[in-house]
Amino acid sequence: MAQHVRDIMTGAPAAVEPLTSVRDVARLMRDQDLGAVLVMEGDELRGLVSDRDLVVRVLGEGADPDRTTVVSVCSEEVVTVGSDERLGLVVERMREHSIRRVPVVDGGKVVGIVALGDLAMERDPESALADISAARPNR
């Protein structure tokens, strides 16, 4: 059974620059079957944008997805963990901050991301969330 973040994280998470249009981010999410994308300025983590952010902060507000930049709708106060952290700490942080995804940062550099589904597949592989997370999307 995995004990550390490095054992279950997804390495090399998708990232975009702050001035990327929301439409381009949505297409990236569609094409790569992603629920979240990191917003990076060079090597600096500026935020995280989820599919829910796009719906609520762009579509729900009637904003133009071609003119709206991802930095204007992303979550800027991002909770992170290190790859050597124990999985229990990630669960605690997700619960404390009511979040579903946590970027993994080592030495100031983003090295991965951990999602709630990753934890479900590791901790409770028989759960409905684990089944859903492991399933291939239908297109």
Side-chain angles (χ1 to χ4, degrees):
M1 180 189 247
Q3 297 295 316
H4 297 94
V5 170
R6 71 177 167 270
D7 300 325
I8 68 165
M9 72 180 196
T10 299
V16 295
E17 295 180 356
L19 298 180
T20 304
S21 77
V22 167
R23 183 174 311 278
D24 288 343
V25 173
R27 286 179 177 147
L28 176 66
M29 288 177 166
R30 176 199 64 201
D31 294 346
Q32 294 188 19
D33 188 35
L34 303 171
V37 174
L38 301 178
V39 180
M40 303 286 297
E41 191 162 20
D43 288 336
E44 182 184 345
L45 177 62
R46 291 281 310 271
L48 181 144
V49 66
S50 69
D51 45 8
R52 184 179 190 282
D53 292 331
L54 299 184
V55 170
V56 172
R57 297 178 182 167
V58 180
L59 296 177
E61 295 296 324
D64 181 346
D66 289 313
R67 294 186 180 173
T68 304
T69 61
V70 70
V71 74
S72 67
V73 299
C74 71
S75 300
E76 294 177 340
E77 294 185 27
V78 181
V79 174
T80 64
V81 294
S83 65
D84 290 331
E85 301 284 356
R86 56 187 176 75
L87 293 181
L89 177 68
V90 179
V91 172
E92 290 172 22
R93 290 209 178 134
M94 286 177 154
R95 183 178 292 127
E96 177 184 346
H97 297 280
S98 298
I99 54 177
R100 294 179 173 98
R101 298 166 184 94
V102 179
V104 181
V105 178
D106 284 337
K109 183 178 178 185
V110 176
V111 296
I113 192 165
V114 174
L116 184 60
D118 299 327
L119 287 165
M121 288 188 300
E122 175 58 33
R123 291 272 174 108
D124 191 5
E126 302 302 315
S127 70
L129 180 56
D131 285 344
I132 293 165
S133 298
R136 305 286 300 158
N138 293 331
R139 294 192 194 247

